[in-house]
Amino acid sequence: MALLLLSTAERGEVWPRVFAEAGEPIVVGETSVMDPAAIDHIACWVPPHDLSAYTGLRTVISVGAGVDHLPPLPADVALSRTIAPGIEAMVRDWVVMATLMAHRDMPTYLAQAREHLWKAGRVMDARARTVGILGMGRIGRLAAASLGNLGFRVRGWSLSGRPVDGIDVFSAAELDAFLGGVDILVCLLPLTKATHGILGKAVFAKLPRGARLVHAGRGAHLDMAALLNALDAGWLASAILDVTDPEPLPKGHPLWNDPRVIVTPHVAAQTDAREGALHALAVIRAVREGLPIPGLVARERGY
Ligand code: GLV
């Protein structure tokens, strides 16, 4: 039995080396598959359209942190999303950067600089701002700790409201109370039926006037028209987005030239090839030994 890797050329070079060191068989690319029944794991961004020939398939491993892009899989195939320290640290860094940019009015100053305009606004201490993080999973907790170290007041929101060391975490039912005190809203949610479109009119209206948005979740969390309306109404002061709907943001889209908005092209993190391979090896071992599968996705929850 072997793992089938369907991914980038770089991963196609690195994974076989890492697998060889571990003594695990790997097949790179669907055209190299001799016997589909001998494939027990597929690591990919998008799996083959037709999985029926892979009769021995045990797991599909998403080479990214998200799984929302995957089609429905057979019920007896486990789904794992890549857990890698590099992904978590990269997204944490992007969130810290974007939160600092939002906090220090960088969208305004970048726009002013393009106009050669020297005009100072009021500078605030980080301690005077509350950052609210939607999604208190591994990355949310990491970002919360770093932002807290910078002096921000930090609060979180998650479905369970499970407390995290030193940070107030609001539960699903407490969304309004959570939003009411948030100056900078950070979205790190997984995309599920329950979170689709969550960054829309109702949520923006619950934020204090002048709040800022930092978004590293998924494009489909965000109602782009509602964002533009909130910016135009002066309700939101700025938005820093790593994800948009659609992606890429089309040429000529109003957000490209909006002085209140900074867009980055879905680069908060990229999975390091070696770390991705190590995650896959950990999954293979766990399945073989009947241990909990790293990054196992609860299908009914969607993450
Ligand atoms: C990127 O967005 C990922 O899911 O890894």
Side-chain angles (χ1 to χ4, degrees):
M1 298 302 272
L3 175 138
L4 168 61
L5 173 67
L6 306 174
S7 191
T8 59
E10 189 205 353
R11 292 193 184 117
E13 279 183 27
V14 174
W15 283 47
R17 288 205 295 273
V18 181
F19 271 59
E21 282 163 24
E24 289 289 348
I26 182 170
V27 177
V28 178
E30 245 199 316
T31 49
S32 311
V33 175
M34 298 296 178
D35 176 13
I39 298 295
D40 51 356
H41 307 277
I42 298 180
C44 57
W45 184 248
V46 183
H49 179 63
D50 182 6
L51 287 172
S52 56
Y54 295 95
T55 50
L57 191 61
R58 305 286 300 274
T59 66
V60 167
I61 302 168
S62 168
V63 291
V67 291
D68 51 281
H69 57 285
L70 289 158
L73 296 172
D76 58 344
V77 173
L79 174 60
S80 164
R81 62 193 179 82
T82 295
I83 307 280
I87 298 180
E88 293 170 9
M90 285 176 202
V91 180
R92 186 262 331 268
D93 291 352
W94 188 93
V95 165
V96 169
M97 173 195 70
T99 302
L100 285 170
M101 290 180 92
H103 162 55
R104 298 302 296 261
D105 300 317
M106 283 306 282
T108 304
Y109 293 129
L110 290 174
Q112 285 187 188
R114 284 195 289 271
E115 308 290 327
H116 301 192
L117 179 60
W118 182 287
K119 184 165 168 258
R122 180 162 161 248
V123 179
M124 279 174 64
D125 190 313
R127 288 170 298 180
R129 286 210 213 265
T130 298
V131 178
I133 302 179
L134 290 168
M136 288 299 282
R138 302 169 66 101
I139 299 174
R141 296 197 296 271
L142 208 55
S146 294
L147 291 164
N149 285 338
L150 289 170
F152 292 103
R153 295 185 296 244
V154 181
R155 56 171 65 178
W157 180 80
S158 69
L159 280 184
S160 68
R162 200 173 337 115
V164 170
D165 290 346
I167 292 167
D168 277 346
V169 181
F170 295 66
S171 69
E174 299 168 321
L175 182 60
D176 290 359
F178 163 81
L179 294 167
V182 167
D183 302 304
I184 302 177
L185 181 66
V186 174
C187 179
L188 284 171
L189 289 168
L191 181 63
T192 65
K193 279 200 196 83
T195 65
H196 196 279
I198 187 169
L199 300 176
K201 193 173 166 193
V203 157
F204 297 152
K206 293 279 164 26
L207 293 167
R209 189 181 178 84
R212 288 119 210 252
L213 174 67
V214 165
H215 185 24
R218 285 287 189 253
H221 286 129
L222 179 60
D223 178 339
M224 303 272 279
L227 172 65
L228 273 167
N229 287 339
L231 289 165
D232 288 343
W235 196 261
L236 288 185
S238 65
I240 305 185
L241 313 173
D242 189 50
V243 288
T244 58
D245 185 20
E247 282 177 26
L249 190 62
K251 262 193 173 21
H253 192 282
L255 285 185
W256 277 126
N257 284 327
D258 195 308
R260 302 155 300 191
V261 176
I262 294 176
V263 175
T264 58
H266 202 138
V267 287
Q270 283 165 358
T271 310
D272 171 76
R274 187 175 168 80
E275 285 193 1
L278 292 175
H279 171 80
L281 286 172
V283 169
I284 292 170
R285 283 192 205 112
V287 169
R288 187 174 294 144
E289 288 162 33
L291 297 170
I293 297 176
L296 184 68
V297 172
R299 292 298 180 79
E300 64 296 345
R301 234 175 32 175
Y303 64 95

